[in-house]
């Protein structure tokens, strides 16, 4: 089915690529109201048979060839000018039509372009910050990621993750449409920088806000990359192959073809250097953002940066504008990975009067394959109607093998050691569809917006787990260790679906005010089963222990209705929305075992304000405040009232009496830019508070277990987790971030100062009594302070150096134990590159970590040195040979801390170590208007492996 769909998808776009006609040409000139030519404007020719886009030249001239229709419309748009549209008829008997000059009027609404010599033009408009790419000092061969690193307020880390204004960029678009389902790294690490005209950082509130202007909920950061119109006719190719020490290899390829209103991209990747091509946890925007439940992909099957990973991937992305009314675009991606990860963890448990620490070593291997298909159809049947339909399909198939060894100490004395080997096979098909319809009822703002979605997913899992625990006799430390052996075979089937719909009606009340009425429905449905059997060391069934043998079924749903009304005001300086909404929720279902049936029945009602405020101090400075609220249902593990343990020493028991939790969120953003002086500053404060927070009760106690091999009763340490609602207190979190950037001397010198503080109050319960299901309350307070200072000296594209330093301090207090823990980290870095000759480049990337305070055996202070020498050759420097060295001192490792209400976990994980590689790259570009450099240099292409 997937193969047939994929082939049909390819054929449609390949056939449309071949078909084109040749008829007439249209030419014109653009001027402003002061009789000055307008260069770089976007010009579009639209008819029943044509849909063409170009840009005006330096002389203000635009040209369209191969025009088929006799009647057509010319549409002109350019920042700083009012949009111009006019219809024309081709003179009878003529094959060439020269249109009299257009006069563009200065815009009264858009911010006038602020131009600094040698610095990219930056335009602030509403929720969008737009950078033009001209005058960026980029080397031949740069990709979009290299350009992003030079934009004020944008950061790219060593793993390719992009943050803008302190927030993570979630999705990417090209020319306003999702590229490979919005996969950020796929676009930024492969798209040539030399064909990009503009980059936009957008606070995206979803399709409804984009269409109607009415914002609901929280925004997400989206990167939109605009291709220069003059490079929308042509194609480009990048091929790379490399081999190195430790049998490291890489083979990558990219082909991208573009024509007016059409685009096809093909990407392929094969390597064992931890360089994934696709992120399968990213999902395209669709027509309605998912609210939860079915259709979501499970945990990542791929190794990412940690461990050692072998990867093979291939994908296709395509877009076709059939007319100015109908556009279809989508992508198919496939990836196969094999990841091996070694990790060490040190866990400090929060228990009163007992110090319990666990030292854990694990070796895991995960082999997985993923398919992802996403498509979008956008149709504008009239000037008042807009329809979007977005189907999605996916399939995951994975095998995992994990071997874990742990040693537990209580009050600094050995308690037990445990070996556990777990084999898991899982499959997860999923599919969904979303759609929206918008209708403008009049020209004054009366509007109806409707969207919907349905998503379905199923995960089947087979698990084989073997546990062997060595026990110390608590009454005789000198006695020989006893052994407990357990083997469990588990079959689980988890089905879920999510369906929802939203209705929004807007009624204008005045020139600047309007009334908004909203209704939102969402339902998550779960239908799961779990069967487990236990066996002893001789592979005989352990039939008399319900902790190892169970057969559970649980079927429940979570439904919410949200009804709201608010008043929206949009003035020159002030924009606000104020109102209220009611959200009733229902939790319904049953949990069934072989001898017990537990009903799940809950009704809740939450009232919440609708509040949004924005004040514009100037065109480059504004303050915004937004509040939102949402209800979240308990997870399957939290609500199932049965023991779901893989073994008898680690028990998980859900709670059928749980209520949904309700989360309040508020964010405050401030932005002040002065691009004329090269200054930019932004800051935000995010706060969240939870009602009925679902928290855990963690118990650690000595319990008696019958040894299935000897029949004896052994005493061993047992961990038990239960769940309850926190009704007397409110966990909350606050995070802040700021960024200040200063550019000097035509962006030759750049200084960036950034940092922030986060504070989280978490609540949990713990006990050392097996019969205690209330526990003692623990309030965990965690403060994290970050500060960074970065400097860039970039006098030309032939030389760049970036020194910097980052500092992090992490402080945790636990009320139950009155213990505090602190860790800190200093990380100085130095990144630079220089052209030794016009065609020879040397580069280096150095970073050193100074870590303090981590748990036993975890602390590490790696010094990472990466370097390369690159030589360009062949005509137009299309060929490149690079010799690169990765982690010269072989110290690559990852150290981190995780804080929860009941535990502090320090982790150390292996990463790809030292190797040397020789890479050959060939790049070719051909466009209708010549190469981007004008002299047939091929600058763009796929990024070399990350150092």
């Amino acid at each position: 089915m997937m193969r047939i769909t994929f082939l049909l998808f390819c054929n449609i776009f390949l056939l449309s690529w071949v078909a084109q006609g040749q008829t007439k040409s249209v030419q014109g000139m653009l001027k402003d109201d002061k009789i000055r030519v307008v260069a770089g404007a976007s010009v579009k020719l639209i008819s029943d048979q044509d849909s063409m886009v170009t840009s005006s030249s330096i002389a203000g001239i635009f040209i369209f060839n191969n025009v088929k229709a006799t009647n057509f419309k010319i549409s002109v748009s350019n920042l700083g000018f009012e949009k111009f549209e006019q219809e024309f008829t081709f003179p009878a008997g003529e094959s060439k039509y020269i249109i009299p000059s257009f006069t563009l009027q200065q815009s009264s609404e858009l911010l006038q372009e602020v131009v600094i010599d040698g610095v990219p033009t930056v335009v602030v408009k509403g929720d969008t910050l737009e950078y033009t790419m001209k005058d960026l000092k980029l080397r031949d061969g740069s990709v979009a990621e290299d350009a992003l690193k030079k934009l004020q307020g944008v950061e790219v880390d060593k793993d390719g993750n992009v943050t803008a204004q302190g927030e993570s960029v979630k999705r990417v678009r090209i020319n306003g449409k999702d590229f490979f389902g919005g996969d950020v790294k796929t676009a930024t690490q492969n798209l040539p920088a030399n064909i990009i005209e503009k980059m936009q950082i957008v606070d995206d509130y979803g399709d409804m806000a984009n269409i109607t202007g009415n914002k609901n909920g929280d925004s997400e950061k989206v990167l939109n990359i605009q291709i220069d119109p003059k490079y929308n006719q042509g194609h480009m190719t990048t091929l790379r192959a490399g081999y190195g020490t430790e049998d490291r290899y890489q083979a990558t390829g990219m082909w991208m073809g573009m024509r007016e209103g059409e685009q096809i991209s093909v990407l392929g990747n094969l390597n064992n250097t931890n360089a994934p091509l696709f992120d399968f946890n990213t999902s395209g925007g669709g027509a309605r953002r998912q609210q939860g439940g079915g259709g979501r992909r499970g945990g990542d099957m791929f190794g990412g940066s940690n461990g050692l990973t072998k990867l093979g991937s291939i994908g296709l992305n395509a877009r076709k504008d059939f007319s100015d009314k109908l556009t279809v675009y989508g992508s198919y991606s496939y990836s196969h990975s094999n990841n091996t990860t070694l990790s060490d963890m040190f866990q400090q448990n929060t228990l009163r009067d007992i110090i319990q620490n666990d030292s854990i070593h694990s070796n895991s291997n995960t082999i997985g394959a993923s398919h992802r298909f996403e498509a979008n159809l956008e149709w504008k049947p009239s000037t008042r109607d807009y329809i979007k339909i977005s189907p999605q399909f996916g399939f995951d198939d994975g095998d995992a093998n994990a071997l874990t060894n742990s040693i537990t100490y209580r009050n600094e004395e050995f308690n037990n050691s445990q070996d556990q080997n777990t084999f898991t096979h899982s499959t997860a098909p999923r599919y969904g569809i979303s759609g929206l319809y918008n209708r403008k009822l009049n020209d004054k703002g009366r509007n109806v917006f409707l969207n919907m979605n349905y998503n379905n997913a199923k995960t089947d899992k087979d698990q084989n787990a073997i546990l062997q625990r060595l026990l110390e006799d608590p009454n005789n430390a000198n006695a020989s260790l006893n052994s407990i052996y357990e083997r469990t075979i588990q079959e689980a089937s988890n089905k879920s679906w999510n369906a929802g719909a939203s209705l929004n009606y807007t009624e204008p009340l005045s020139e600047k005010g309007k009334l908004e009425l909203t209704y939102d429905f969402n339902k998550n449905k779960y239908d799961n089963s779990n069967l487990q059997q236990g066996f002893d060391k001789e592979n005989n069934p352990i039939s008399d222990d319900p902790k190892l043998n169970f057969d559970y079924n649980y079927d429940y749903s979570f439904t919410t209705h949200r009804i709201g009304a608010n008043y929206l005001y949009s003035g020159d300086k002030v924009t606000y929305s104020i109102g209220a909404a009611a959200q009733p929720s229902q939790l319904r279902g049953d949990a069934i075992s072989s001898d017990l049936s537990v009903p799940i029945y809950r009704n809740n009602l939450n009232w919440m304000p609708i509040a949004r405020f924005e004040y514009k101090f100037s065109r480059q400075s504004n303050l915004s405040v937004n509040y939102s609220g949402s209800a979240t249902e308990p997870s399957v593990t939290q609500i199932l009232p049965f023991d779901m343990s893989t073994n008898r020493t680690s028990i998980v028991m859900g709670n059928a009496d749980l209520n949904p939790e309700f989360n309040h969120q508020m964010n405050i953003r401030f932005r002040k830019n002065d691009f004329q002086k090269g200054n930019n500053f932004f800051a935000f404060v995010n706060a969240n508070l939870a009602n009925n927070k679902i928290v855990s009760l963690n118990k650690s106690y000595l319990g008696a277990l019958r040894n299935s091999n000897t029949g004896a009763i052994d005493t061993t340490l047992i961990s038990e987790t239960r769940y309850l609602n926190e009704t007397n207190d409110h966990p909350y979190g606050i995070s802040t971030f700021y960024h200040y950037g200063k550019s000097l001397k035509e962006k030759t010198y750049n200084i960036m100062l950034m940092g922030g503080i986060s504070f989280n109050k978490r609540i949990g319960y713990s006990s050392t009594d097996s019969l205690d299901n209330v526990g003692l309350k623990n309030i965990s307070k965690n403060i994290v302070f970050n500060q960074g200072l970065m400097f860039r000296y970039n006098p030309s594209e032939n030389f760049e150096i970036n020194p910097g330093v980052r500092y992090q301090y992490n402080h945790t207090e636990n009320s139950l134990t009155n213990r505090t823990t602190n860790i800190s980290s200093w990380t100085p870095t130095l990144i630079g590159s220089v052209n030794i000759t016009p065609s020879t480049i040397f580069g280096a990337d150095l970073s050193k970590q100074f870590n303090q305070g981590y748990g036993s055996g975890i602390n590490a202070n790696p010094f990472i040195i990466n370097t390369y020498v690159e030589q360009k050759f062949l005509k137009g420097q299309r060929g490149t040979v690079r010799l690169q060295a990765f982690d010269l001192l072989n110290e690559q490792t990852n150290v981190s801390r995780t804080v929860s209400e009941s535990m502090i976990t320090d982790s150390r994980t292996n990463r790809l170590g030292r190797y040397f590689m020789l890479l050959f790259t060939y790049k070719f570009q051909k466009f209708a208007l010549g190469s981007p450099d004008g002299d047939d240099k091929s600058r763009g292409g796929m990024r070399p492996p990350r150092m």
Side-chain angles (χ1 to χ4, degrees):
M1 180 72 179
M2 291 294 296
R3 182 177 297 176
I4 294 173
T5 305
F6 175 59
L7 291 174
L8 289 173
F9 184 70
C10 295
N11 288 334
I12 290 171
F13 283 96
L14 289 174
L15 287 173
S16 65
W17 183 269
V18 175
Q20 67 171 353
Q22 296 182 354
T23 49
K24 309 167 187 177
S25 66
V26 175
Q27 179 177 325
M29 177 182 287
L30 304 180
K31 294 182 179 180
D32 64 11
D33 51 7
K34 296 182 180 179
I35 320 301
R36 298 175 299 192
V37 297
V38 178
S42 177
V43 187
K44 190 170 186 178
L45 185 148
I46 305 166
S47 73
D48 293 338
Q49 305 176 54
D50 305 289
S51 181
M52 303 179 179
V53 179
T54 188
S55 59
S56 56
S57 68
I58 296 177
I61 296 173
F62 64 88
I63 301 174
F64 292 104
N65 294 315
N66 304 323
V67 178
K68 302 173 184 177
T70 301
N71 299 314
F72 58 90
K73 180 172 67 175
I74 295 292
S75 175
V76 182
S77 59
N78 194 38
L79 289 170
F81 294 93
E82 298 285 355
K83 187 174 182 180
F84 177 91
E85 287 187 350
Q86 187 172 332
E87 294 185 355
F88 298 90
T89 300
F90 220 99
E94 297 291 336
S95 61
K96 183 176 182 180
Y97 186 12
I98 300 178
I99 300 174
S101 299
F102 296 158
T103 299
L104 303 183
Q105 301 297 323
Q106 295 285 333
S107 172
S108 59
E109 297 179 358
L110 293 180
L111 171 66
Q112 299 299 313
E113 291 184 340
V114 182
V115 182
I116 314 144
D117 291 339
V119 183
T121 302
V122 183
V123 177
V124 182
K125 182 187 176 185
D127 298 316
T128 300
L129 190 61
E130 181 176 271
Y131 305 83
T132 63
M133 296 296 100
K134 79 174 181 181
D135 294 336
L136 278 185
K137 299 166 184 176
L138 295 171
R139 275 197 175 86
D140 293 348
S142 296
V143 292
E145 182 180 275
D146 300 307
L148 282 169
K149 292 178 179 179
K150 296 180 182 291
L151 304 183
Q152 296 183 26
V154 179
E155 291 187 81
V156 184
D157 68 16
K158 289 188 176 182
D159 293 324
N161 302 303
V162 182
T163 57
Q165 301 172 17
E167 298 179 71
S168 175
V169 174
K170 301 296 186 182
R171 289 188 291 120
V172 67
R173 299 170 181 151
I174 292 183
N175 292 341
K177 309 300 180 185
D178 286 342
F179 184 72
F180 278 102
D183 203 325
V184 176
K185 297 179 189 179
T186 301
T188 59
Q189 296 179 5
N190 294 290
L191 191 67
N194 56 348
I195 67 169
I196 300 174
E197 181 184 34
K198 302 170 186 175
M199 287 189 178
Q200 297 173 327
I201 302 296
V202 183
D203 291 324
D204 186 69
Y205 290 87
D207 280 319
M208 186 178 76
N210 297 334
I211 296 170
T212 67
N214 301 340
K215 302 173 185 177
N216 288 313
D218 295 323
S219 66
E220 65 178 15
K221 281 286 190 289
V222 174
L223 169 65
N224 183 43
I225 299 174
Q226 292 283 357
I227 304 297
D228 193 325
K230 61 178 174 289
Y231 302 127
N232 277 331
Q233 291 260 15
H235 62 88
M236 65 195 75
T237 302
T238 300
L239 302 174
R240 175 170 288 110
Y243 187 77
T245 60
E246 308 297 325
D247 287 327
R248 298 291 163 217
Y249 59 84
Q250 172 148 16
T252 57
M254 178 191 75
W255 180 84
M256 178 180 288
M258 291 171 287
R259 183 178 290 165
E260 296 295 345
E262 302 177 19
Q263 179 269 324
I264 297 178
S265 300
V266 181
L267 299 176
N269 178 31
L270 186 67
N271 72 81
N272 63 354
T273 58
N274 288 29
L277 183 60
F278 304 113
D279 179 3
F280 284 85
N281 289 318
T282 300
S283 179
R288 174 180 161 89
R289 292 181 181 173
Q290 287 191 44
Q291 305 295 307
R296 289 183 178 271
R297 186 174 188 269
D300 190 12
M301 293 179 136
F302 302 98
S305 299
N306 289 331
L308 304 177
T309 307
K310 299 178 181 178
L311 286 156
S313 309
I314 191 168
L316 168 72
N317 187 88
R319 173 181 175 178
K320 170 70 175 179
D321 296 336
F322 290 95
S323 68
D324 61 329
K325 295 182 178 181
L326 179 63
T327 297
V328 178
Y329 57 98
S331 64
Y332 167 78
S333 307
Y334 167 79
S335 188
H336 183 276
S337 77
N338 186 333
N339 172 264
T340 300
T341 300
L342 304 176
S343 64
D344 292 286
M345 291 185 289
F346 181 77
Q347 294 180 343
Q348 303 174 61
N349 296 271
T350 306
L351 299 168
R352 173 171 284 185
D353 301 327
I354 294 178
I355 300 175
Q356 180 176 317
N357 297 323
D358 299 292
S359 180
I360 304 169
H361 174 77
S362 67
N363 183 343
S364 63
N365 175 251
T366 304
I367 300 174
S370 269
H371 302 261
R372 178 182 64 192
F373 172 81
E374 298 181 343
N376 295 271
L377 182 149
E378 297 182 11
W379 181 35
K380 301 174 184 177
S382 71
T383 57
R384 294 184 180 274
D385 298 282
Y386 173 75
I387 297 172
K388 182 178 181 180
I389 300 174
S390 304
Q392 298 181 354
F393 304 92
F395 183 80
D396 297 331
D397 187 1
D399 292 286
N401 180 12
L403 178 61
T404 303
N405 171 262
S406 63
I407 301 176
T408 299
Y409 294 87
R410 297 193 107 197
N411 295 327
E412 300 183 354
E413 293 184 358
F414 171 81
N415 181 272
N416 70 80
S417 68
Q418 178 172 293
D419 291 321
Q420 184 161 3
N421 199 357
T422 305
F423 304 86
T424 305
H425 173 74
S426 62
T427 59
R430 62 191 184 280
Y431 62 88
I433 187 170
S434 60
L436 67 84
Y437 171 69
N438 188 78
R439 171 69 178 179
K440 296 180 180 179
L441 300 177
N442 63 24
D443 296 329
K444 296 182 179 180
R446 182 178 296 161
N447 192 87
V448 174
F449 178 92
L450 172 68
N451 68 8
M452 54 72 64
N453 76 285
Y454 175 81
N455 299 282
N456 192 300
K458 179 182 179 182
T459 300
D460 291 318
K461 181 179 74 172
D462 297 321
Q463 179 173 290
N464 188 341
I466 299 174
L467 175 140
Q468 185 160 346
R469 172 177 279 200
L470 298 177
L471 309 175
E472 181 186 57
D473 186 344
N475 300 316
N476 186 357
N478 296 321
S480 59
L481 301 180
N482 291 333
S483 173
I484 291 179
Y485 178 94
E486 297 173 353
R487 177 183 175 214
T488 55
I489 296 178
Q490 185 180 115
E491 296 179 7
S493 177
N494 301 317
K495 302 176 184 178
S496 61
W497 60 261
N498 162 258
S502 298
L503 178 65
N504 176 284
Y505 174 77
T506 306
E507 177 66 29
L509 301 179
S510 64
E511 182 181 351
K512 297 181 179 180
K514 52 187 174 181
L515 175 67
E516 181 183 28
L517 303 176
T518 60
Y519 170 73
D520 183 271
F521 165 81
N522 194 75
K523 183 171 184 176
N524 299 326
K525 184 73 166 62
Y526 305 88
D527 183 5
N528 306 293
S529 63
N530 201 316
L531 172 66
Q532 181 174 285
Q533 293 179 296
F535 299 86
D536 63 17
K537 201 168 189 177
E538 306 301 325
N539 208 30
N540 297 314
I542 305 175
S543 57
D544 59 345
D545 196 325
K547 291 183 180 297
L548 296 182
N549 298 272
F550 52 76
D551 184 2
Y552 300 144
N553 291 275
Y554 34 106
D555 185 347
Y556 73 99
S557 64
F558 180 66
T559 306
T560 61
H561 303 263
R562 175 172 167 151
I563 305 169
N566 60 287
Y567 175 76
L568 293 88
Y569 176 84
S570 181
D572 297 332
K573 289 281 188 180
V574 177
T575 301
Y576 65 85
S577 174
I578 187 167
Q583 186 180 62
S585 62
Q586 297 176 331
L587 192 61
R588 298 281 190 275
D590 295 283
I592 303 171
S593 69
S594 57
D595 57 356
L596 184 65
S597 178
V598 179
I600 302 170
Y601 189 94
R602 248 24 116 257
N603 291 324
N604 294 87
L605 176 64
N606 292 288
W607 291 90
M608 69 200 77
I610 297 175
R612 186 184 301 275
F613 173 82
E614 181 176 355
Y615 183 79
K616 298 177 182 178
F617 299 94
S618 68
R619 289 174 174 175
Q620 298 187 62
S621 177
N622 71 306
L623 172 72
S624 64
V625 181
N626 178 53
Y627 163 85
S628 63
S630 61
T632 305
E633 76 271 27
S635 69
V636 172
T637 302
Q638 292 170 338
I639 203 169
L640 184 67
F642 304 124
D643 185 351
M644 289 284 291
S645 312
T646 303
N647 58 72
R648 294 178 294 171
T649 61
S650 180
I651 299 171
V652 178
M653 182 79 73
N655 180 2
D657 294 327
L658 285 178
N659 283 307
E661 64 181 50
F662 190 85
N663 295 286
H664 305 266
Q665 294 181 318
M666 176 174 287
N667 60 69
I668 303 172
R669 295 175 180 168
F670 175 75
R671 180 169 60 196
K672 181 177 177 59
N673 303 302
D674 188 346
F675 295 107
Q676 291 172 311
K677 296 181 179 179
N679 299 335
N680 76 89
F681 175 82
F682 56 81
F684 69 73
V685 178
N686 289 337
N688 64 81
L689 182 144
N691 293 336
N692 276 333
K693 179 70 176 178
I694 299 173
V695 300
S696 60
L697 165 61
N698 293 279
K699 299 194 289 185
S700 180
Y701 55 87
L702 295 175
L705 294 181
R706 188 183 68 84
N707 193 314
S708 59
N709 295 310
T710 65
I713 301 298
D714 293 319
T715 300
T716 186
L717 186 65
I718 296 176
S719 299
E720 183 176 332
T721 302
R722 293 174 179 261
Y723 300 96
L724 47 91
N725 287 112
E726 175 57 43
T727 57
N728 298 320
D729 207 342
H730 299 282
Y732 64 88
I734 301 173
S735 63
T736 68
F737 182 84
Y738 80 93
H739 179 283
Y740 172 75
K742 177 71 174 179
S743 298
L744 301 168
K745 201 174 180 180
E746 298 182 351
K747 212 173 177 64
T748 297
Y749 303 93
N750 295 269
I751 301 172
M752 289 160 285
L753 189 66
M754 75 287 291
I757 299 176
S758 66
F759 175 82
N760 286 285
K761 175 186 174 182
R762 301 180 176 93
I763 296 175
Y765 292 82
S766 67
S767 177
T768 55
D769 185 351
S770 62
L771 301 178
D772 181 7
N773 290 328
V774 177
L776 299 173
K777 186 174 184 178
N778 177 59
I779 299 177
S780 173
K781 296 180 179 179
N782 177 236
I783 301 174
V784 180
F785 170 77
N786 290 281
Q787 184 61 58
L789 174 63
M790 314 299 290
F791 176 78
R792 180 170 65 240
Y793 176 58
N794 189 196
S796 73
E797 65 273 12
N798 296 323
F799 179 73
E800 180 177 354
I801 187 167
N802 298 266
V805 62
R806 293 181 184 272
Y807 173 74
Q808 184 181 85
Y809 174 76
N810 190 318
H811 172 83
T812 304
E813 299 177 3
N814 286 299
S815 64
L816 187 62
T817 61
N818 292 319
R819 291 200 301 263
T820 63
T821 61
N822 303 290
I823 60 170
S824 63
S825 175
W826 286 93
T827 308
T829 61
L830 180 64
I831 304 172
S833 60
V834 60
N835 277 62
I836 301 173
T837 72
S839 60
T840 307
I841 304 170
F842 171 77
D845 181 349
L846 292 76
S847 67
K848 172 67 177 177
Q849 283 189 319
F850 299 93
N851 297 311
Q852 290 184 335
Y854 284 95
S856 175
I858 302 300
N859 200 68
N861 300 299
F863 185 20
I864 309 301
I865 303 175
N866 304 319
T867 186
Y868 70 90
V869 176
E870 184 175 281
Q871 178 65 50
K872 298 180 180 296
F873 63 102
L874 297 181
K875 181 183 178 181
Q877 297 188 347
R878 292 175 181 166
T880 301
V881 172
R882 168 185 281 209
L883 176 63
Q884 71 177 37
F886 180 85
D887 188 16
L888 278 173
L889 302 181
N890 203 30
E891 295 186 0
Q892 183 79 266
T893 190
N894 182 42
V895 178
S896 63
R897 166 164 289 189
T898 304
V899 178
S900 71
E901 63 275 10
S902 60
M903 186 180 298
I904 298 174
T905 304
D906 294 337
S907 302
R908 178 174 173 175
T909 308
N910 72 316
R911 288 194 169 192
L912 182 64
R914 177 172 54 202
Y915 70 90
F916 299 85
M917 178 173 282
L918 187 66
L919 286 150
F920 170 74
T921 304
Y922 178 81
K923 291 174 280 189
F924 177 77
Q925 297 181 1
K926 185 176 181 180
F927 295 94
L929 298 182
S931 74
D933 296 317
D935 56 359
D936 203 30
K937 284 185 181 180
S938 295
R939 301 192 340 174
M942 189 173 291
R943 182 182 181 85
R946 185 173 301 281
M947 292 199 306

